[in-house]
Amino acid sequence: MSVTTLDINFIRSQFPILHQEVNGHPLVYFDNAATTQKPIKVIEALGDYYKLHNANIHRGAHALADRSTGFFEDTRKSVQQFINAKEAAECIFTKGVTESINLVAQTYGKAFLKPGDEVLISYMEHHSNIVPWQMICEETGAHLKVIPIHENGELDLEAFYKLLSVQTKIVACVWASNALGTINPVKEIIDSAHKVGAIVLLDGAQAGSHLPINVQQLDVDFLTLSGHKLYGPTGVGVLYGKRELLDKMPPYQGGGEMIKEVSFESTTYNEIPFKFEAGTPNIGDVIAFKYALEFVNGIGKDAIIQWESKLLNHFNAGIREFGSNRIKLFGAAKEKVAVQSFLLEGKHPFDTGLLLDARGIAVRTGHHCTQPLMKFFGIEGTVRASFAVYNTMEEVDVLLDSLKKMVNR
Ligand code: PMP
């Protein structure tokens, strides 16, 4: 689908939640980087699972167990196609990006990091891609190094090349920043890291719904995705990993499903992906997630990114038209997803958020789980508007109009 043929009204009609008033105004939902809304097919699939199919998966001898297992594994195949993984078994279900990163840090990190090794992250990481590495570095004696950024929110690639060395064992980097929108040059990062023998984990929390993903072409070692930021349910995430790495990693948690044979003396572990899926997974939400992927595929990533870029450009052009220096934008990278952080002069971001909420506009305020990044800019937090494919130009105008009134007050 091209952006010119996108039928936004039809897209919006699939999202029941969008058709409501908040504080006496039509809801304008611009908090998509925190979580996207869910299309009706996802909601219905979740209801249907509990109404019609609910059973525990994989070992049941009865029809419902068989059916639920089939649906669950269908989603795994959809994920495989969505990211172009070589095998479905390389796609592990987790709770979200946070759990996916912790899994890699606590298994791959614990098994392979040694004192003096280095883990590289960037200044614009979400706390989920900082703290797990801090924890494992502390445990193993490895060092955490941070790639600086430029004032416009782009990664300082020169500094990255200086930091990269044979000591570097893991590069863990956000694909698209949730606070600034910056799209990082991940292919270049991956290829350079591989040259020194390091592996790369990408935090794909924000990339998932906006950018085309091809893990084989990227040659990325680990990619993490979050269902709830991708029009899917909460509590579903994906860890993609290359088989050769997943096979040699120890398990994350012990329990049912992840074993081949258990005795009191010793246990042998299951094959991937089950080795990393101990216990009963989030069956219903995983099954419903497939419909979120179908929703995105039905529109196409190219059309999505084109439309969202139009929304972002319209917003930024509108701000410039104010002719006011009373609003400051953060994040001016050349390549961006549709996320814009800003501050109104003299106004705490939370107060701006509350005033916008009174007009029915949902934005996020605060540090966006990127406190070191906020420190870099010398601020406590920002107001963040983040756009999704179901947003309209008229909605952007409502936001612009509200901000204009605030800056002229
Ligand atoms: N990384 C980034 C860039 C994010 O935006 C988020 C969610 N705000 C996360 C990680 C954490 O993802 P999850 O909610 O799936 O744990």
Side-chain angles (χ1 to χ4, degrees):
M1 215 179 281
S2 91
V3 72
T4 46
T5 56
L6 265 194
D7 182 349
I8 301 297
N9 282 334
F10 174 66
I11 290 172
R12 288 179 72 78
S13 73
Q14 299 171 56
F15 290 82
I17 203 170
L18 297 177
H19 307 281
Q20 63 176 295
E21 292 205 338
V22 168
N23 295 323
H25 299 273
L27 167 68
V28 173
Y29 187 78
F30 285 154
D31 196 16
N32 296 289
T35 197
T36 53
Q37 299 302 346
K38 324 300 173 199
I40 188 72
K41 283 200 174 160
V42 170
I43 300 166
E44 283 176 354
L46 194 54
D48 283 351
Y49 169 70
Y50 287 112
K51 276 190 266 176
L52 303 170
H53 316 302
N54 176 46
N56 212 331
I57 53 172
H58 290 140
R59 286 165 313 277
H62 59 87
L64 294 190
D66 198 40
R67 211 186 294 154
S68 293
T69 303
F71 292 151
F72 187 88
E73 292 304 324
D74 279 350
T75 302
R76 204 187 303 277
K77 283 181 215 133
S78 297
V79 171
Q80 177 200 358
Q81 283 158 14
F82 193 76
I83 63 175
N84 194 34
K86 213 185 277 174
E87 303 174 55
E90 294 176 315
C91 306
I92 292 150
F93 288 117
T94 63
K95 275 197 308 210
V97 162
T98 304
E99 191 177 46
S100 298
I101 297 174
N102 275 280
L103 191 163
V104 177
Q106 287 301 321
T107 60
Y108 186 91
K110 196 174 276 179
F112 301 112
L113 286 175
K114 301 205 172 39
D117 285 346
E118 290 177 1
V119 176
L120 275 190
I121 58 172
S122 87
Y123 233 91
M124 68 179 93
E125 299 309 319
H126 188 279
H127 297 162
S128 304
N129 203 27
I130 302 174
V131 186
W133 301 113
Q134 262 171 348
M135 288 163 66
I136 198 65
C137 282
E138 213 168 280
E139 223 177 295
T140 58
H143 302 296
L144 190 65
K145 300 267 163 141
V146 186
I147 310 160
I149 57 168
H150 296 294
E151 197 66 29
N152 70 355
E154 286 180 1
L155 210 59
D156 183 341
L157 281 174
E158 234 172 83
F160 165 63
Y161 285 118
K162 279 194 192 133
L163 284 167
L164 201 61
S165 76
V166 287
Q167 266 85 47
T168 314
K169 297 296 179 247
I170 301 174
V171 179
C173 183
V174 71
W175 191 340
S177 156
N178 63 311
L180 304 174
T182 310
I183 300 172
N184 284 316
V186 290
K187 182 66 183 147
E188 187 175 341
I189 291 169
I190 293 163
D191 290 346
S192 319
H194 286 169
K195 279 189 191 136
V196 299
I199 57 122
V200 177
L201 174 141
L202 289 182
D203 170 350
Q206 299 298 332
S209 65
H210 306 288
L211 304 176
I213 304 176
N214 184 338
V215 289
Q216 292 189 72
Q217 187 254 324
L218 278 176
D219 197 22
V220 67
D221 302 285
F222 295 106
L223 169 73
T224 62
L225 292 174
S226 175
H228 73 96
K229 294 181 198 286
L230 227 172
Y231 306 100
T234 51
V236 180
V238 173
L239 170 66
Y240 159 80
K242 285 180 181 165
R243 174 182 274 279
E244 71 242 42
L245 297 176
L246 294 173
D247 275 345
K248 68 177 188 183
M249 280 153 57
Y252 180 44
Q253 293 180 325
E257 193 66 35
M258 51 75 73
I259 55 92
K260 243 186 204 144
E261 241 181 280
V262 179
S263 74
F264 288 121
E265 289 70 41
S266 70
T267 292
T268 50
Y269 303 128
N270 208 338
E271 304 293 323
I272 63 164
F274 311 114
K275 182 169 84 171
F276 295 105
E277 292 180 354
T280 301
N282 188 354
I283 305 166
D285 290 300
V286 167
I287 289 173
F289 181 42
K290 177 178 158 198
Y291 296 88
L293 298 175
E294 280 181 6
F295 166 77
V296 172
N297 289 338
I299 302 170
K301 288 272 182 71
D302 288 344
I304 290 177
I305 196 159
Q306 276 180 48
W307 177 245
E308 291 172 345
S309 301
K310 278 192 169 188
L311 295 169
L312 180 69
N313 293 340
H314 186 62
F315 177 67
N316 286 341
I319 296 283
R320 278 194 297 275
E321 249 177 47
F322 287 6
S324 164
N325 54 8
R326 292 199 50 213
I327 182 160
K328 185 165 188 254
L329 301 176
F330 295 86
K334 279 185 260 347
E335 302 286 335
K336 272 185 66 146
V337 293
V339 167
Q340 189 59 57
S341 265
F342 58 91
L343 277 178
L344 300 191
E345 196 192 83
K347 254 205 171 61
H348 193 279
F350 190 65
D351 295 334
T352 309
L354 283 181
L355 285 168
L356 292 174
D357 181 53
R359 297 274 313 255
I361 305 168
V363 291
R364 186 132 300 237
T365 63
H367 53 62
H368 317 297
C369 294
T370 56
Q371 280 179 347
L373 179 65
M374 296 297 118
K375 208 166 168 192
F376 171 84
F377 286 112
I379 54 178
E380 262 179 55
T382 70
V383 184
R384 181 187 71 187
S386 50
F387 307 112
V389 70
Y390 43 63
N391 288 128
T392 65
M393 290 295 169
E394 292 73 26
E395 288 182 313
V396 176
D397 286 335
V398 171
L399 174 60
L400 285 168
D401 184 56
S402 304
L403 291 174
K404 197 171 191 173
K405 286 187 179 125
M406 285 184 213
V407 293
N408 290 333
R409 199 170 281 159

